[in-house]
Amino acid sequence: MGRALLLRWRWWLTLALLAGSVASHAASPYQIGVYYYPGWSPYTKGAHEPDPWAVIKRFPDREPKLGWYHDGKGDTLDQQLAWMADHGISFTVFDWYWENGKPAPQSSVRAYLQSPQRARVKYALLWANHTREPRNLAEWDALTSFWIDNHLKNPEYVLIDGKPALFVFSPDGLRDQAKVIGLPVDKLLDRARSKAREAGLKGIYFVMSTPADEFWARDFAPKAGFDALSAYNYHFGVDEHLKAGRMSYSFDELDRGYRTHWKWLVARSPLPYIVPMTSGWDKRPWGGSRDRRHDDSMSTPDEFETHLRAGKALMDANPDKTHRMGVICCWNEYGEGSYIEPTKAHGTAYLERVRKVFGGR
C-alpha cells in the first residue's frame, strides 16, 4: 500500500471511529445536566472574599483537580466542558442572578459562550431569584428581554419541546415579586413567553423548583403556568402524608429522602418532572447547617452510583413524566459539599459513575 493511500485510509478510519463514538453518545435516551455554581472568580456573586476560595482552602480534600481556579477563564471552562461531555453530561445549568437592574457578574457564563467545547455541552439558566427585583413591570420586561437577547436565542441553549428552558429557584419569591408588580405569576410568565415568540422563539419552558408539597406542586405550579417541576436540592424526606422528617444525618438518609420526593411528585403532580439528584451535602465551609449533623450527608462514589441508579430506574419507569431527563447538584458547589467535578482527592471517580449509569463516551 502506497504511503499516500495508507495515510488516506488511516484518515477515513479515524473519521469512522469518531462518527461511531458520537452516534453512540447521541443514541443515549437520557439527558443529564448538572448545576454550575459561578462563584469562583474574585468579586462575583457568592464570592465571600477577594479570594473566593479562601474558606474552601481550609478543607484541602475539596481542592479541584484544576487547582484553585478562576471560573471566568476560557481554559477552565474548556476543560470542565470536556470532562462533562466525555462522561455523559449533556447540559449544564448556571446559577444566575439579577440585581440592580442588571445581571450580577457572570464570568463563567461568558467563558462558556467563548469556549469551543460549548458545542458538546448545552446550557440553561437557573434564575436564583433571591432579591426583591423585579419590582415593577418595566423591570420584569428588562429581565426577560435580557434572557431572550443574551441567552435563550443562542444555539447552545437547552430546548424542551422546542422551547428554551428557564429554571426558577424560588416559587414563593416569584409569587411575592408578582404581588409587588401587581400581576399574577401566570400573567408574568405569559408576558415573557409573548416576548420570546416576538423574538422568533416558540416560547419559554419554565421549570419550577419544589419539594413534594400539595400546594406548590399540585395547585400553584399548574395555575401559575409552569411547564415542569424539578429542584435544586432536597434536605429531608416526607412520608405518605407529606409530613417532613428531620434533615439527613448521612448520605443514605439523604438518598432515601430524595426517593420519597421523587415517588410522590411523579405519582401526584400533573406536570412533567426533571429528576433532581445529588452528590451530597456538607455546608461547613459556608458556616455549617442549622443542624450540624446534616453536614454528614456527603456521598462516597459508590453511594453516589447507587443514588444515580435509583434516579435512572425512576426515569425508566416513568419515561413520559420524566422525559428521561435529570439534573445533578452540583458540578462545583464546594461550599455546600455538593460537587462532582474532578478533585485531587477523588480524581474523576464521580464523573465515571455518571458515565457508568447513564452512558457516554
Side-chain angles (χ1 to χ4, degrees):
M1 183 182 294
R3 178 175 176 80
L5 184 59
L6 177 61
L7 289 175
R8 183 178 299 177
W9 179 81
R10 287 178 175 173
W11 182 72
W12 279 109
L13 178 61
T14 300
L15 285 181
L17 290 172
L18 286 173
S21 176
V22 171
S24 174
H25 181 62
S28 173
Y30 306 98
Q31 297 179 72
I32 303 302
V34 62
Y35 288 113
Y36 190 107
Y37 174 70
W40 307 120
S41 299
Y43 306 109
T44 59
K45 178 69 179 179
H48 297 266
E49 304 177 38
D51 176 9
W53 292 104
V55 296
I56 312 299
K57 289 177 180 178
R58 301 170 193 165
F59 298 82
D61 57 307
R62 302 190 187 195
E63 184 176 359
K65 190 173 182 179
L66 291 174
W68 307 111
Y69 58 75
H70 187 311
D71 66 13
K73 292 187 176 180
D75 56 352
T76 299
L77 267 293
D78 288 348
Q79 180 59 77
Q80 291 174 331
L81 295 173
W83 275 327
M84 292 180 195
D86 289 343
H87 292 86
I89 294 173
S90 56
F91 66 97
T92 185
V93 184
F94 289 97
D95 299 355
W96 189 90
Y97 306 81
W98 178 266
E99 53 189 23
N100 301 318
K102 61 183 180 181
Q106 47 178 341
S107 56
S108 57
V109 181
R110 288 196 297 270
Y112 167 89
L113 291 172
Q114 296 169 3
S115 172
Q117 296 286 341
R118 70 187 187 279
R120 304 180 66 199
V121 180
K122 292 187 178 294
Y123 84 109
L125 301 180
L126 168 75
W127 176 30
N129 57 327
H130 306 307
T131 67
R132 296 182 178 180
E133 298 176 73
R135 297 160 295 191
N136 54 55
L137 206 52
E139 290 183 357
W140 174 257
D141 288 343
L143 169 62
T144 56
S145 292
F146 188 92
W147 286 337
I148 293 164
D149 295 340
N150 294 275
H151 294 290
L152 307 191
K153 293 167 66 176
N154 290 338
E156 303 88 2
Y157 202 86
V158 172
L159 301 180
I160 303 177
D161 293 344
K163 303 169 188 174
L166 199 292
F167 292 72
V168 178
F169 180 84
S170 174
D172 50 337
L174 180 57
R175 181 182 61 175
D176 293 344
Q177 290 156 341
K179 287 179 181 178
V180 172
I181 292 171
L183 282 179
V185 172
D186 65 314
K187 298 300 182 184
L188 290 180
L189 300 189
D190 285 345
R191 188 178 179 93
R193 291 185 178 104
S194 179
K195 290 176 71 68
R197 287 191 291 269
E198 290 171 4
L201 299 170
K202 291 184 178 181
I204 301 175
Y205 193 95
F206 283 102
V207 182
M208 190 186 92
S209 299
T210 184
D213 182 276
E214 190 76 31
F215 171 73
W216 292 111
R218 287 175 53 82
D219 183 21
F220 179 83
K223 290 179 180 177
F226 280 92
D227 298 285
L229 304 177
S230 191
Y232 191 73
N233 53 24
Y234 299 134
H235 296 277
F236 44 77
V238 293
D239 64 18
E240 63 271 20
H241 305 294
L242 296 185
K243 181 179 179 181
R246 61 168 170 75
M247 290 185 172
S248 64
Y249 294 166
S250 68
F251 185 78
D252 178 66
E253 289 186 356
L254 186 62
D255 172 42
R256 285 187 276 121
Y258 265 71
R259 298 187 197 204
T260 64
H261 289 278
W262 293 346
K263 181 179 178 181
W264 189 92
L265 285 161
V266 165
R268 301 294 300 280
S269 168
L271 297 178
Y273 184 51
I274 298 172
V275 181
M277 296 168 282
T278 186
S279 63
W281 179 266
D282 177 1
K283 197 183 177 183
R284 285 177 297 155
W286 282 171
S289 298
R290 189 168 61 251
D291 183 340
R292 296 306 176 94
R293 289 170 291 184
H294 183 40
D295 292 326
D296 290 328
S297 299
M298 289 181 69
S299 68
T300 66
D302 287 343
E303 289 173 326
F304 179 58
E305 179 181 337
T306 298
H307 178 67
L308 295 181
R309 290 197 180 280
K312 178 176 180 286
L314 183 82
M315 297 177 201
D316 289 341
N318 303 275
D320 294 335
K321 196 65 170 283
T322 66
H323 302 305
R324 287 195 171 97
M325 190 173 189
V327 60
I328 299 168
C329 182
C330 298
W331 177 256
N332 58 346
E333 227 308 358
Y334 293 99
E336 294 180 350
S338 303
Y339 53 90
I340 64 171
E341 178 180 14
T343 61
K344 292 184 177 180
H346 290 290
T348 59
Y350 283 84
L351 286 182
E352 289 165 8
R353 298 315 201 275
V354 177
R355 181 169 58 189
K356 182 178 179 182
V357 174
F358 293 106
R361 289 190 290 277

